[in-house]
Amino acid sequence: MSRQEYNLHSILIVSGSGPFTETVRRAIPSSAYVTVDVKQNASSARRAVMERSYDIVIINIPLPDETGVEFSLDIAESINASILMAAPGEVYEYALEYVTDQGIMVLSKPFEGSRLNQALRYLMAVQEKLRKVEKQVQVLEEKAQEQRIVTKAKFYLVEEKHFTEDEAHRYIGKLAMDNGVSRKRAAQKILEDI
C-alpha cells in the first residue's frame, strides 16, 4: 500500500467549533473516507455512535456540554475506533495523562495542519491493522467451527457406524470430494442424516 493509498474509513468529528471542523476536513485525505459526520456535542455524538460504526473519532475538547475527556473514554471502551483528541494547551497535560493508557491520541492545540495530517494517517494505519487482525480472527473462527463440525461427524461415524478414526476422516474427505463441497458441508450432511 503506498503512502497515500488508504481503505475507506468512516469518521466522526465532535466539535463545537466550526473552524476546527473545517481544519480537520481539510487535513483528511480525500480518498481516505466514506463519510465524515460532524456532531457539535457529546450527547449527539453518543447517539451517533450507537446508530452507526466509526473507524476514527476526532474530539475537540472542551465540548459545549462536557469536557470531552469522559466522552472519549466512553467511546474508547465501547467501539474499536481510533480516537484523536485535540486539547487546548492549558489542559493538554491533564488530558494526555488521563486518556493515553486507553489508546487515545492527544494533540495540543493550536497545531499545524501537517501534525494533524500525520496523526490522521497514523490512525488510519492503526485501523488497517485492526481490520487485518479482525479478518484473521474471522478466518480462525471459521476454521475452528469447521473443525468442531467435522469432529462431531467423525465421532458419530466412529461411535454409531463403527468406523476407525482414519476411516471416518477419509470418508468425510471422499464425501466432500465426490459432491464438490467443503469438508464442513460434508460433515453437516452426515449429521443432518442422523
Side-chain angles (χ1 to χ4, degrees):
M1 182 163 56
S2 74
R3 286 179 49 160
Q4 294 299 316
E5 183 181 319
Y6 304 101
N7 284 331
L8 299 178
H9 299 279
S10 57
I11 300 171
L12 174 63
I13 301 171
V14 186
S15 174
S17 164
F20 176 85
T21 300
E22 287 311 309
T23 299
V24 171
R25 282 184 183 273
R26 284 192 304 273
I28 299 169
S30 60
S31 61
Y33 62 90
V34 176
T35 59
V36 176
D37 292 341
V38 178
K39 300 300 175 190
Q40 295 182 345
N41 56 51
S43 59
S44 63
R46 279 188 173 90
R47 284 191 299 275
V49 168
M50 288 190 297
E51 293 171 2
R52 75 167 295 170
S53 175
Y54 292 98
D55 299 311
I56 298 171
V57 178
I58 302 163
I59 306 164
N60 179 27
I61 68 167
L63 296 171
D65 56 345
E66 65 176 75
T67 65
V69 173
E70 287 300 323
F71 168 69
S72 68
L73 292 171
D74 291 346
I75 296 302
E77 217 172 270
S78 63
I79 63 174
N80 284 333
S82 294
I83 302 170
L84 172 65
M85 178 188 293
E90 62 271 12
V91 296
Y92 170 75
E93 291 297 327
Y94 162 77
L96 187 65
E97 181 64 29
Y98 203 68
V99 302
T100 299
D101 290 342
Q102 301 305 313
I104 298 169
M105 179 183 278
V106 183
L107 289 181
S108 178
K109 296 186 297 187
F111 46 77
E112 297 173 9
S114 62
R115 275 195 72 209
L116 178 59
N117 184 272
Q118 288 172 343
L120 290 171
R121 286 177 41 208
Y122 174 80
L123 295 176
M124 289 176 196
V126 167
Q127 283 299 307
E128 291 308 312
K129 288 184 182 288
L130 280 174
R131 286 178 179 175
K132 287 178 184 174
V133 168
E134 287 172 353
K135 284 180 185 175
Q136 291 171 342
V137 167
Q138 183 180 3
V139 166
L140 290 174
E141 286 174 350
E142 288 170 1
K143 285 182 180 180
Q145 181 189 27
E146 177 179 327
Q147 187 61 40
R148 284 190 297 272
I149 292 169
V150 169
T151 299
K152 190 174 180 179
K154 278 187 202 179
F155 183 75
Y156 167 76
L157 292 172
V158 168
E159 289 294 313
E160 300 298 325
K161 302 294 186 183
H162 307 293
F163 282 50
T164 66
E165 189 173 338
D166 285 342
E167 289 170 337
H169 180 79
R170 283 192 301 275
Y171 179 77
I172 293 170
K174 183 171 178 1
L175 186 62
M177 195 167 30
D178 289 349
N179 292 297
V181 297
S182 68
R183 290 175 44 82
K184 176 183 174 184
R185 182 65 196 119
Q188 285 173 327
K189 177 74 173 128
I190 291 168
L191 296 171
E192 289 168 3
D193 292 341
I194 294 176

